[in-house]
Amino acid sequence: MIYSQRVTLPARARWIDRVLGIAVGSLVTAWFLRREPEPVAVEAEATDPVMAPASAVRPTTAPIPVAVPTTGPVEATAPVPAVGVIAPVAARDAADASREPAEPRRATADATREAASADPPGDAPTLPLPRMPGDTRLSSSARFDAATDAWILKAAFRVHARDHHVLAFYRKALADQGLAVTESEDPPTADGAVKTYLHGKSARVHAQVGILPRTDALETRVWILWRSRG
């Protein structure tokens, strides 16, 4: 009996040691399996939609808390750049295409107007208003406006006379052409000169005579605009 007890006791101790070793090994293995992956590596793979597919981001082991926020933004933001780029480009192309037909019509209208203006009906008429004695012509021009079918005559003069004499002369000249005459003024300039306008109007003629005296010399400037329809 004594011999059998000395043999049985070491056998039981070895059995207990094996059980404890298996339990410790299981705990260590479970601890290693439950370790979370490195956050830097997971974020790099999840935030790079070109180098890593969506399946590489999903966890292959037990559920990991870091896998939930990384998979959502990759799937939600992947189609956004394609929609944001294609839609404005397509809308702009459609708008450009809708505006293209208007260019030939505008060019045709401009060419027609230029051709009509370049080929007026007959020679340019002369300015029908008389010239004040002692004046000097500074400039003159004549142009046919095809849009209104009217001749536009312009002239500028310098007269050595007082402005009230010039006003009286051109008021009578406009009335002699059968025009209804009205008068208006601009505010005084810095040196105190006042520019006066005589407006003449009839069924086919619109005229304007601007008169501005100089304050430092006996001189008056005259600008005439004459528009007559054919």
Side-chain angles (χ1 to χ4, degrees):
M1 292 295 294
I2 295 173
Y3 177 78
S4 62
Q5 288 179 356
R6 288 179 179 177
V7 175
T8 304
L9 288 176
R12 291 181 178 180
R14 287 195 301 272
W15 181 79
I16 293 174
D17 291 340
R18 292 176 181 175
V19 172
L20 292 177
I22 294 172
V24 172
S26 300
L27 292 176
V28 173
T29 303
W31 182 79
F32 275 106
L33 292 177
R34 293 180 61 84
R35 287 185 63 189
E36 297 181 356
E38 292 297 331
V40 176
V42 173
E43 291 178 359
E45 294 178 0
T47 56
D48 193 354
V50 177
M51 300 302 297
S55 60
V57 180
R58 298 193 182 92
T60 56
T61 60
I64 301 174
V66 74
V68 175
T70 57
T71 56
V74 174
E75 296 177 357
T77 59
V80 172
V83 175
V85 172
I86 294 175
V89 173
R92 187 169 60 253
D93 292 342
D96 294 340
S98 63
R99 288 197 300 266
E100 287 179 358
E103 296 297 332
R105 289 197 297 269
R106 189 184 306 114
T108 303
D110 294 340
T112 303
R113 185 165 55 254
E114 291 176 0
S117 178
D119 188 15
D123 297 332
T126 58
L127 186 66
L129 294 180
R131 294 179 57 175
M132 189 172 181
D135 65 359
T136 301
R137 185 190 298 270
L138 301 177
S139 64
S140 62
S141 64
R143 179 176 64 88
F144 181 74
D145 185 10
T148 58
D149 191 24
W151 280 99
I152 300 175
L153 309 178
K154 296 181 181 180
F157 300 93
R158 179 179 61 206
V159 185
H160 293 286
R162 297 294 181 185
D163 57 331
H164 60 276
H165 294 298
V166 179
L167 281 170
F169 178 86
Y170 281 103
R171 184 183 292 109
K172 182 178 182 303
L174 292 173
D176 290 344
Q177 295 294 324
L179 306 179
V181 183
T182 57
E183 184 176 327
S184 64
E185 292 182 350
D186 280 347
T189 60
D191 56 357
V194 178
K195 188 173 184 179
T196 307
Y197 297 92
L198 296 175
H199 307 277
K201 185 177 180 180
S202 68
R204 54 181 295 272
V205 174
H206 286 72
Q208 177 177 286
V209 180
I211 300 170
L212 178 64
R214 290 184 58 178
T215 58
D216 58 347
L218 182 59
E219 181 179 304
T220 302
R221 294 293 179 94
V222 180
W223 294 270
I224 299 176
L225 173 64
W226 185 275
R227 179 188 294 268
S228 61
R229 291 183 298 174

